[in-house]
Structure formats: C-alpha cells, structure tokens
Amino acid sequence: MRKYAAAEVFPERAARVPRPSILDPYLEYLTRRQVSGCENGRELWREIRAQGFRGTSRQVHRWLQMQRTVRPRSGARGYPGGNWWSNGIRPDALCSPKQLAWLCVKRPSELTSAETATLARIEQDEEASRVVALARRFCELVRSRGVSQQAKPTRSCRRFEAWLGEARACGVRAVETFAEGLEQDGDAVRAALTTPWSNAQAEGQITKLKLLKRQMYGRANFDLLRRRVLLTI
C-alpha cells in the first residue's frame, strides 16, 4: 500500500517586490517636465544626465512610453486640477496606440459607447483633437471614393486638396509627414480618388505569390514556384 505525504497548509507565495531603479531619484523631475509639455525622451535624458544620471536614454524612453499610455489628470496640455503623480493617484489606463489609431479611423456610428468615451477623453487634448478630426475626414474621403462603395467617378479633388492643405499646416509633425508623403505620390493618390479602378486584384496576387514562396522556405527553385502558381489558378 502506497503512502502519500500531505500538507495541512501551504506557504503563501511572497509578493514580488520590484527592485529599485537608478531612474527613481529623477522621476519627480521627469514628471514635472512631462507635465509642462516636454515629450522628447532624448532631451529629458540629457537633462537628468547633467544631474548625475548614469543610465541610458532607452530607460527614459521606456518610462516616457509608459506615461503616454495613461490619461493625465492635470497640468499637461490644459488638464485642470492637481498633479496625479504627486498625489499618488494611479490614472486610468488607455488603449494601446494601435487600438487608439483604429478607433480614430472607424466610423462614428460603429463605435461602442466605451470606445466613444475613450475618444472623448483623448480629444480633450488640443493636438489629439486635431489629429482625430483630420483622420476621420481623410477616411471618409477615401470611403466615399472607394470602388466597394459603388461611388460615382469624379474629376474633382477639391476636398482632398483642402484636407491636404490643413494637414500640412496642422502643427502635428506626424500628420504633416504623412501629408508630405501623399503629396510626393500626388498623381497616384489623385488618380485613386477620381477613377473607379483599383489595384486590389494585383496586390492580392502579389500577396498570394509571396505566401507560396515563403511556404517553400527558399529551398525550391523557380520552376516549382511557377508550377504551384499555375496549379492554384
């Protein structure tokens, strides 16, 4: 007969205490600078390095990225009230940057109440409000000219030109860079907005060809790739 050992009580798992970071002595200064509007991680790193910080700029960038994923309750860019960091209040977490970007390009009618509330919080910031408004207008412009929407072809690009002018002078560097890229490919963009043609079929075939090529891990020659493409048609 086998005997099994049994314990009446189990020791509780000790809570993991985070180790102190070399950035800790400078957190109060970094928070004040961020609340005042400084979002340049490299600049913040140079400032605390002059005060004796021995770490790398990557540590400052990681800290700054964490702060950007939470909602500032005061001081920063027009938020009234006390400083949430100094008061010890943990701010409500926001979605990731990719999720927020998706919310900006969705149709307002497709947003849930929680998503609408999240965007309302974001739009309290003046720059974020401009970005959301420009993103919505651009998406609506593209959707209204899309082939899938059976839109009537038009030769007018006035709406796009007006949007492009506002985007290039909006004061948000990321949006201005995006607008400059559209202007560089201006002929292609205007053709896409004024003609009923689409390159979706070509892009789909190219994607399928790449998939077949990667499935063979580069160990097959061109003849086999050609046969696989032809046999799937």
Side-chain angles (χ1 to χ4, degrees):
M1 181 177 179
R2 296 182 180 181
K3 294 183 179 180
Y4 298 93
E8 296 181 359
V9 295
F10 292 92
E12 298 223 351
R13 192 179 213 173
R16 183 177 179 182
V17 179
R19 291 180 296 179
S21 168
I22 60 175
L23 196 62
D24 289 347
Y26 308 94
L27 290 180
E28 185 177 354
Y29 174 81
L30 290 173
T31 304
R32 288 200 308 268
R33 292 288 289 121
Q34 189 203 17
V35 168
S36 66
C38 181
E39 296 283 344
N40 190 317
R42 192 78 178 179
E43 181 179 347
L44 293 174
W45 172 68
R46 285 195 293 263
E47 292 178 5
I48 63 174
R49 186 179 62 172
Q51 301 177 19
F53 179 65
R54 300 301 179 187
T56 64
S57 61
R58 183 175 298 180
Q59 294 170 285
V60 180
H61 281 289
R62 281 201 299 263
W63 174 86
L64 189 59
Q65 186 63 35
M66 290 177 59
Q67 307 313 304
R68 288 169 177 165
T69 61
V70 297
R71 173 170 62 110
R73 294 189 176 177
S74 71
R77 301 180 187 273
Y79 288 93
N83 187 347
W84 58 267
W85 182 275
S86 61
N87 291 339
I89 302 174
R90 183 180 179 83
D92 301 330
L94 289 175
C95 304
S96 67
K98 289 185 178 179
Q99 291 172 322
L100 290 175
W102 176 245
L103 295 183
C104 291
V105 299
K106 286 180 68 176
R107 290 186 177 92
S109 59
E110 297 176 351
L111 295 172
T112 65
S113 57
E115 292 172 342
T116 302
T118 298
L119 278 181
R121 287 166 51 188
I122 297 299
E123 289 177 320
Q124 293 180 56
D125 183 271
E126 184 180 353
E127 286 188 0
S129 179
R130 292 201 300 269
V131 172
V132 172
L134 287 168
R136 283 177 171 171
R137 284 178 52 195
F138 183 76
C139 290
E140 183 59 31
L141 176 62
V142 174
R143 292 189 185 108
S144 65
R145 305 293 177 86
V147 175
S148 61
Q149 302 296 324
Q150 297 180 352
K152 296 180 180 179
T154 176
R155 296 183 179 180
S156 174
C157 281
R158 286 180 297 179
R159 289 177 57 192
F160 172 68
E161 301 296 345
W163 181 91
L164 193 63
E166 292 184 31
R168 296 186 66 177
C170 68
V172 181
R173 185 56 189 163
V175 179
E176 292 175 351
T177 302
F178 176 70
E180 290 172 2
L182 291 179
E183 183 60 36
Q184 290 177 359
D185 294 330
D187 293 340
V189 174
R190 292 176 178 87
L193 295 175
T194 55
T195 61
W197 308 108
S198 171
N199 66 339
Q201 284 294 328
E203 294 295 336
Q205 296 297 332
I206 292 172
T207 300
K208 184 172 69 173
L209 179 61
K210 289 180 178 178
L211 175 62
L212 292 174
K213 182 179 178 182
R214 288 166 183 165
Q215 285 176 341
M216 298 188 297
Y217 298 99
R219 293 194 293 265
N221 58 16
F222 179 76
D223 294 335
L224 177 58
L225 177 62
R226 180 177 180 274
R227 288 179 62 84
R228 291 197 63 183
V229 171
L230 293 178
L231 289 175
T232 57
I233 296 178

